Amino acid sequence: MAVFPYDIHATDGRARTGTLRTMRGDIQTPAFMPVGTAATVKGVYMDHVRQAGADIILGNTYHLMLRPGAERIARLGGLHKFCGWDGPMLTDSGGFQVWSLSKLRKMSEEGVEFRSHIDGSKHMLSPERSMEIQAELLGADICMQFDECTPFPATPDQARASMELSLRWGARSLAAFGDRPDQTLFAIVQGSTYADLRAESAQRSIEAGGYGGYAIGGLAVGEGHEMMCSVLDVTTPHLPADRPRYLMGVGKPIDLVEAVYRGVDMFDCVIPTRSGRHGQVWTDTGPYNIRKAEFAEDDSPLDPAIDCPASQNYSKAYVHHLIRSGEMLGQMILSRHNIAYFEDLMRRIRTEITSGTYDRFVSDFRAAWA
Ligand code: PRF
């Protein structure tokens, strides 16, 4: 398989900034990937996702295999053509979404049998089927190994058994992925909150050989911000310095700032679009809700500092009115603004690392957030 070139331009403490070069274009890191679960970044045109500064988006095996079906997307020319995003795309392998969304799961060494959360129909995911869907049928540029996201809390024995299963599924994912010169496969490090297991999971994934990057899974599952930071502290030092590191399903702006500080390069999260649909506006001091009465006659733009039409061209009063009226344009404006805010934050993070001033940026950000 391909191992995409990853040039690290600057480091500052453990933080790094670089460029991951895929066949469909470059990804500037640290990078935030908007989530396009159902072949759409909900409520935002792909042009606008790109304009907001996203280099890569994420798609989901689980949702797409159920609807419209992975084979159908393949017949229609693959996921990029289907949804109109011609840049790099990463797909998650499906296990985590089965675990969080479907009922009647049956886990075995082979994989997971489950019923669709949409119509109750029966399906199966295994490392082999997940690789077929991600690499062959959807055509993702970056595919994820099939894994089990260890629930929190887990005893050391439960965490080890789950980690061992993910390592076996990782080996099967590697074998099934095969020889794909234009696509790459990332490992997923598990091990719950245990430093020794995180180190072992990283080490054995590296020894398995050939992964193009390393994800950190099993976090943001209820352990809390402080614990997540402690787990990152004991995990990133065991990952290869020359490969991208991806913290799955994270997070709020403060989580991104703290994770970059600990050496993470890539993130994905539904927060900008999901919370936008509920009226939330993200800023450096945290989110606020535009529904609040105090914005009813506030004629100022959402955020004049963000270079995005949604942030600059509509007043808080107008978006307040749209959201209160249940108008879909309100949700679209906020989703677009929030993505632009997250992408702007990543740009600022990259600039600060390049300047060697990331420490200072982190202290200021923590103070403003608190
Ligand atoms: N594994 C996979 N996808 C994920 C996770 C994981 O552990 C998480 C954990 N927050 C989010 N998405 N495959």
Side-chain angles (χ1 to χ4, degrees):
M1 83 174 85
V3 171
F4 296 145
Y6 188 40
D7 303 324
I8 295 189
H9 309 312
T11 60
D12 186 357
R14 276 187 286 159
R16 316 108 63 76
T17 179
T19 306
L20 181 63
R21 305 187 190 282
T22 80
M23 309 305 280
R24 280 197 173 84
D26 292 349
I27 301 160
Q28 306 305 334
T29 70
F32 181 80
M33 302 184 276
V35 173
T37 290
T40 162
V41 177
K42 291 187 196 299
V44 188
Y45 287 101
M46 289 300 182
D47 298 352
H48 297 170
V49 174
R50 171 65 84 186
Q51 271 175 30
D55 292 331
I56 174 170
I57 62 171
L58 175 142
N60 279 120
T61 296
Y62 172 83
H63 297 79
L64 296 171
M65 73 186 282
L66 298 180
R67 188 171 58 191
E71 274 76 9
R72 175 166 292 166
I73 291 177
R75 287 193 296 277
L76 291 166
L79 184 55
H80 294 79
K81 175 160 179 265
F82 184 60
C83 73
W85 173 267
D86 61 5
M89 188 116 64
L90 178 150
T91 47
D92 198 358
S93 48
F96 177 71
Q97 286 74 31
V98 170
W99 181 71
S100 51
L101 290 172
S102 84
K103 304 226 166 5
L104 305 160
R105 306 175 292 268
K106 206 166 99 197
M107 286 267 314
S108 67
E109 186 63 32
E110 174 58 21
V112 194
E113 255 189 89
F114 61 96
R115 285 193 185 273
S116 162
H117 72 289
I118 301 164
D119 62 5
S121 57
K122 216 167 155 181
H123 298 265
M124 204 274 295
L125 265 176
S126 63
E128 292 75 19
R129 177 63 177 156
S130 179
M131 295 310 110
E132 181 184 24
I133 293 173
Q134 294 182 74
E136 188 63 33
L137 301 172
L138 302 179
D141 304 280
I142 302 175
C143 306
M144 300 305 301
Q145 77 153 91
F146 196 63
D147 68 324
E148 177 181 64
C149 178
T150 309
F152 176 86
T155 66
D157 284 351
Q158 290 166 336
R160 167 166 290 281
S162 171
M163 177 198 81
E164 296 277 358
L165 179 64
S166 285
L167 286 167
R168 291 193 298 277
W169 282 356
R172 279 168 58 191
S173 298
L174 272 170
F177 193 80
D179 185 27
R180 295 179 170 276
D182 295 346
Q183 295 165 290
T184 198
L185 180 66
F186 280 16
I188 304 176
V189 170
Q190 293 286 349
S192 187
T193 51
Y194 304 104
D196 55 334
L197 294 184
R198 288 282 173 181
E200 183 174 340
S201 177
Q203 197 51 47
R204 287 170 61 186
S205 297
I206 294 163
E207 283 161 10
Y211 285 116
Y214 295 84
I216 303 163
L219 290 178
V221 288
E223 76 282 1
H225 177 80
E226 299 297 323
M227 177 66 94
M228 183 179 85
C229 290
S230 319
V231 173
L232 292 176
D233 280 331
V234 298
T235 304
T236 55
H238 299 284
L239 298 173
D242 63 349
R243 291 286 97 218
R245 303 157 176 176
Y246 160 32
L247 178 55
M248 305 190 78
V250 173
K252 296 187 179 78
I254 189 71
D255 299 323
L256 308 184
V257 167
E258 296 285 1
V260 167
Y261 184 71
R262 292 166 172 80
V264 175
D265 307 309
M266 297 169 68
F267 303 90
D268 81 272
C269 193
V270 296
I271 279 185
T273 43
R274 179 173 294 166
S275 71
R277 293 197 299 281
H278 292 102
Q280 286 206 299
V281 188
W282 288 86
T283 75
D284 280 1
T285 53
Y288 68 86
N289 202 300
I290 200 74
R291 297 182 69 97
K292 284 191 183 162
E294 66 189 271
F295 300 114
E297 296 197 9
D298 187 334
D299 199 31
S300 65
L302 280 179
D303 190 341
I306 306 291
D307 180 19
C308 165
S311 317
Q312 294 186 349
N313 297 351
Y314 304 99
S315 68
K316 294 189 179 86
Y318 180 56
V319 181
H320 167 92
H321 157 72
L322 292 177
I323 291 289
R324 284 228 177 181
S325 310
E327 288 290 341
M328 66 173 127
L329 183 61
Q331 304 188 352
M332 293 173 68
I333 289 171
L334 289 184
S335 298
R336 186 177 178 188
H337 161 73
N338 285 339
I339 288 178
Y341 169 78
F342 271 65
E343 296 298 341
D344 182 77
L345 174 61
M346 302 319 284
R347 226 169 357 244
R348 286 187 284 151
I349 286 173
R350 294 193 293 264
T351 303
E352 299 285 349
I353 296 170
T354 304
S355 315
T357 50
Y358 193 60
D359 256 39
R360 179 59 189 273
F361 177 81
V362 174
S363 335
D364 291 350
F365 202 91
R366 282 175 188 149
W369 193 267

